[in-house]
Amino acid sequence: QMCIRDRYQRRVRGAYLKSMSLVQLSRRSAALTRPLNNLLIVRAQSTSAAADKDLFPGAYSHRDSPGIKYTEQKRNQNRPVSPHIFIYAWPPASLSSIANRFSGIAMSVGMLGMGSVGLVGGDVSAMMAAIGASSVGGLAKFSVAFPFSYHYVVGIRHLVWDRKPEMLTNEEVTKTSYGVFGVAGAISLIAAVV
């Protein structure tokens, strides 16, 4: 039967071990390692970063400096950053997905703006009518119509895909991505002219 003091000491020791980092735990346990297949690791408890190289031989290369964070070491090498985004040929499906997300964000921001104007006592319909009648009315109408029409058409495309999953081939997704851009653009142009 365990007394209260022993339970308390185990709880405190467990909390202490949970608060230690993995490196600290491995340094501490390296001193307690028993012989394994005639291999004996004898090591004093070390707190130096140089000891990490011995404990974790795969974690460091011959060029790494122990004690300096990995990201700082790589940043200090003055190596060029790969132009991964600029040389990547974006597939139409990914552009369609990104545009769908941006259109949803644009609609949310627009609704937030209109709601905020309404909350402070502004007349939202009069403001929209004034913008629509101004010299930038066509561009403003297109900017409002495109996210709505695009998001709506993409929603219809997803409903079709849910009903007919055989349409989810690379060729079909590419075709429908171009089609979605075309249909949404046409609807938006019609809305901008009206």
Side-chain angles (χ1 to χ4, degrees), residues 118-139:
L119 279 175
V120 296
D123 188 7
V124 177
S125 59
M127 184 179 72
M128 291 296 141
I131 292 173
S134 70
S135 61
V136 293
L139 179 63

Side-chain angles (χ1 to χ4, degrees), residues 74-97:
K74 299 306 172 197
R75 190 180 302 128
N76 293 336
Q77 289 182 355
N78 294 327
R79 295 174 63 185
V81 177
S82 172
H84 54 285
I85 293 177
F86 305 112
I87 63 170
Y88 182 68
W90 294 81
S94 67
L95 291 175
S96 177
S97 177

Side-chain angles (χ1 to χ4, degrees), residues 164-188:
K164 297 181 179 182
E166 63 272 5
M167 291 181 67
L168 282 172
T169 63
N170 288 339
E171 295 82 21
E172 282 294 320
V173 171
T174 301
K175 287 178 191 175
T176 59
S177 295
Y178 286 127
V180 163
F181 278 114
V183 169
I187 292 171
S188 302

Side-chain angles (χ1 to χ4, degrees), residues 13 16-17 20 23-36 39-46 55:
R13 191 173 353 148
Y16 174 71
L17 290 176
M20 295 177 73
V23 174
Q24 290 171 330
L25 283 172
S26 60
R27 285 183 187 148
R28 182 162 295 219
S29 64
L32 306 174
T33 306
R34 293 189 177 155
L36 245 147
L39 175 68
L40 177 63
I41 299 174
V42 179
R43 168 164 203 85
Q45 287 187 359
S46 171
L55 284 175

Side-chain angles (χ1 to χ4, degrees), residues 142 145-146 148-151 153-154 179-189:
F142 183 84
F146 186 76
F148 278 108
S149 61
Y150 187 80
H151 210 74
V153 172
V154 170
V180 163
F181 278 114
V183 169
I187 292 171
S188 302
L189 283 174

Side-chain angles (χ1 to χ4, degrees), residues 31-113:
L32 306 174
T33 306
R34 293 189 177 155
L36 245 147
N37 295 334
N38 297 328
L39 175 68
L40 177 63
I41 299 174
V42 179
R43 168 164 203 85
Q45 287 187 359
S46 171
T47 57
S48 70
D52 292 348
K53 214 170 194 176
D54 299 329
L55 284 175
F56 308 109
Y60 295 93
S61 74
H62 65 282
R63 292 185 221 135
D64 290 333
S65 305
I68 300 173
K69 291 182 180 178
Y70 178 80
T71 52
E72 290 176 15
Q73 290 180 35
K74 299 306 172 197
R75 190 180 302 128
N76 293 336
Q77 289 182 355
N78 294 327
R79 295 174 63 185
V81 177
S82 172
H84 54 285
I85 293 177
F86 305 112
I87 63 170
Y88 182 68
W90 294 81
S94 67
L95 291 175
S96 177
S97 177
I98 292 167
N100 187 31
R101 285 163 173 74
F102 279 132
S103 67
I105 291 168
M107 288 189 299
S108 298
V109 169
M111 290 296 154
L112 178 68

